[in-house]
Amino acid sequence: MERKITSVAALMGITAIILGAFGAHALKKQLSVEQLGSFETGVKYQMYHALFLLFLGINTFLNEKVKKTVFQLVVFGVFFFSGSIYLLTTKAITGVDFKFIGIVTPIGGVLLIMAWSVLFWNVWRAKR
């Protein structure tokens, strides 16, 4: 499980860097300041959670079931949260109005909050 988590963390980090550079350079002239700020928020949250997964992958005091739960919550959370932001902010480039997926963004946020909560709960109740 650790190898899978760490691999996904690395992939998530790589894509966050690529998307961040894409936003800073290629999208700078295509998006409004507000849209670019939203796009950057998606990139930041993706990178934060890539680092979170790295921590999870090397963690030795959580059992496999907890790691799997947190891993799944983070992956789906980032996909929904950051992914929906990327789509919503790039309408000017794609020409597609993804407004209908706007509800997915807060669902992704809730999944990320749940991931951190599961981590907190399991660390808190772990035997010292």
Side-chain angles (χ1 to χ4, degrees):
M1 189 70 192
E2 286 80 10
R3 182 180 213 167
K4 180 179 182 179
I5 293 170
T6 305
S7 297
V8 170
L11 184 61
M12 200 179 285
I14 290 166
T15 57
I17 292 168
I18 292 168
L19 289 168
F22 180 68
H25 301 289
L27 297 181
K28 198 172 194 175
K29 295 178 183 175
Q30 304 290 326
L31 302 181
S32 69
V33 173
E34 183 180 307
Q35 290 169 321
L36 197 54
S38 292
F39 190 89
E40 289 173 1
T41 297
V43 171
K44 286 182 208 174
Y45 274 73
Q46 182 175 332
M47 183 56 84
Y48 297 154
H49 288 88
L51 297 171
F52 181 35
L53 288 180
L54 279 177
F55 164 76
L56 184 67
I58 63 170
N59 186 294
T60 58
F61 59 90
L62 295 172
N63 67 45
E64 292 296 308
K65 183 179 177 187
V66 172
K67 283 186 177 188
K68 184 177 181 180
T69 300
V70 172
F71 171 72
Q72 290 173 341
L73 287 168
V74 168
V75 168
F76 285 108
V78 167
F79 182 76
F80 290 161
F81 184 81
S82 294
S84 64
I85 289 174
Y86 300 146
L87 293 174
L88 289 165
T89 58
T90 56
K91 177 185 175 189
I93 296 167
T94 63
V96 180
D97 188 359
F98 288 102
K99 201 180 280 189
F100 65 93
I101 65 164
I103 189 65
V104 172
T105 310
I107 292 170
V110 168
L111 293 174
L112 295 173
I113 292 167
M114 289 172 59
W116 285 95
S117 299
V118 170
L119 174 68
F120 172 77
W121 175 253
N122 283 278
V123 169
W124 179 260
R125 68 182 196 128
K127 292 183 170 77
R128 293 184 170 91

